Amino acid sequence: MLKSNLRILMAEHQIDDITELMEKSGLSRNSINKLYRGTQLETIKLETLFKLCDTFQCKLSELIEYSPEE
């Protein structure tokens, strides 16, 4: 199971909305929306995750959490 911590990172970095994150990261709204809403996380490209990690200066494990299903 995947869990997105995008909202937490946005709050910690005082990024108020998706538009502001789009400007800072250079990513499209659709790419960010998947993480923001926590939907279809399995289909997100690694490139998208790497750009967000660069934007937030964080590790991938801080952005996305994986826990095996029982």
Side-chain angles (χ1 to χ4, degrees):
M1 179 174 172
L2 293 173
K3 178 187 172 200
S4 169
N5 293 322
L6 181 63
R7 290 175 188 238
I8 294 167
L9 288 168
M10 286 175 68
E12 288 174 355
H13 289 84
Q14 299 175 349
I15 296 174
D16 296 326
D17 56 27
I18 291 175
T19 303
E20 185 177 347
L21 183 55
M22 287 170 53
E23 291 169 5
K24 288 183 182 263
S25 66
L27 292 168
S28 71
R29 180 174 296 276
N30 287 341
S31 298
I32 295 170
N33 269 339
K34 285 183 183 179
L35 278 166
Y36 190 80
R37 294 184 179 149
T39 58
Q40 300 175 338
L41 296 178
E42 310 81 27
T43 63
I44 295 172
K45 294 180 181 179
L46 278 175
E47 179 183 350
T48 299
L49 297 174
F50 294 158
K51 282 186 179 182
L52 287 170
C53 286
D54 289 343
T55 301
F56 291 118
Q57 293 295 298
C58 70
K59 295 179 182 178
L60 186 56
S61 59
E62 295 174 83
L63 179 60
I64 293 284
E65 291 180 35
Y66 172 77
S67 54
E69 298 200 24
E70 297 178 13

